[in-house]
Amino acid sequence: MNSRSAAAALISETGRGTKAAILNAALAAFGEKGFNGASTRDVAAGAGTSLSNLYNYFPSKSHLLAELLQRANDELLNRTSAAVQAAGDDPADRMREAVKAYVGFVVDHQTAALVAISEIRYLHGEHRERIVRARDSTQAIFGEIIAEGVAQGRFTTPYPDGAARNIVSMCSAISTWYRAGGRLSRKALAEQHARYALALLETRD
């Protein structure tokens, strides 16, 4: 069986016991055991630090999860925005590059992408509201491209809002099944999903 893609560090580390090391250890623990199954003791051990030092940075597991998901959403938003800005004016080209950027993020940070869709249910109140706003900002990029394409007659889908949601869901779901070394290369995977998105939008040449 193919293994999952090698985990890339979501946050650059400068040493053991740092805030970055704690966040990366939390990501590994949540990815392996889930939010409920992982303890702060697991996270501290993974970061090579003490519980007291961990609590200096994060008062609770919820604070850890919220910070991780915010970092992941920020990275995804930055990648997607940059790809769209570099793609030119054609909505189809912009959508193609947005999807490729999203797929690239999921492949590079598969554990973070998986935790983002599976563990957000454990956040409540202000933490959850903040992450939902961040997630919606990324989906809004896709929605804006679709609106432009529909207005220009480039996309003919009668369901633009549903299309945006489904494209984002399709990309994020890659985290649940992708295996490094599998049949599809990173490039082929991105190209395939870009074509799926353009087909869903009923793109005209």
Side-chain angles (χ1 to χ4, degrees):
M1 180 180 293
N2 295 321
S3 61
R4 288 191 185 278
S5 59
L10 183 64
I11 303 111
S12 297
E13 293 186 24
T14 56
R16 292 168 65 83
T18 63
K19 182 178 182 179
I22 292 168
L23 284 168
N24 282 322
L27 178 58
F30 295 158
E32 180 182 354
K33 299 181 178 181
F35 179 78
N36 276 347
S39 68
T40 51
R41 193 174 298 278
D42 293 328
V43 176
T49 192
S50 64
L51 275 174
S52 60
N53 185 51
L54 182 152
Y55 287 128
N56 283 334
Y57 291 108
F58 301 101
S60 69
K61 273 203 308 180
S62 292
H63 284 81
L64 268 170
L65 180 60
E67 179 76 8
L68 277 173
L69 297 192
Q70 184 67 57
R71 299 281 188 114
N73 276 289
D74 287 348
E75 173 69 12
L76 174 58
L77 181 62
N78 289 339
R79 287 194 186 200
T80 307
S81 297
V84 169
Q85 289 172 8
D89 296 327
D90 178 52
D93 289 341
R94 289 160 68 84
M95 178 57 66
R96 184 179 294 107
E97 295 308 314
V99 170
K100 288 181 180 179
Y102 202 130
V103 172
F105 168 82
V106 172
V107 171
D108 289 344
H109 300 293
Q110 187 174 3
T111 301
L114 182 59
V115 168
I117 61 175
S118 65
E119 308 305 303
I120 189 175
R121 57 188 164 160
Y122 296 112
L123 290 181
H124 304 284
E126 182 181 345
H127 287 317
R128 182 179 180 85
E129 291 171 5
R130 177 162 62 95
I131 299 308
V132 168
R133 285 196 301 271
R135 185 182 63 188
D136 289 350
S137 295
T138 299
Q139 183 169 313
I141 293 176
F142 290 84
E144 289 166 6
I145 296 171
I146 293 170
E148 292 171 3
V150 169
Q152 295 176 23
R154 195 78 163 91
F155 304 144
T156 62
T157 175
Y159 312 111
D161 292 339
R165 286 192 300 272
N166 280 293
I167 290 169
V168 168
S169 295
M170 172 183 70
C171 293
S172 63
I174 293 170
S175 64
T176 67
W177 58 263
Y178 177 73
R179 296 292 184 274
R183 180 176 59 85
L184 290 174
S185 67
R186 173 197 174 102
K187 180 178 180 181
L189 184 68
E191 291 283 357
Q192 183 186 77
H193 281 71
R195 293 186 68 177
Y196 287 158
L198 294 175
L200 181 64
L201 294 170
E202 301 179 40
T203 306
R204 284 181 174 170
D205 293 331

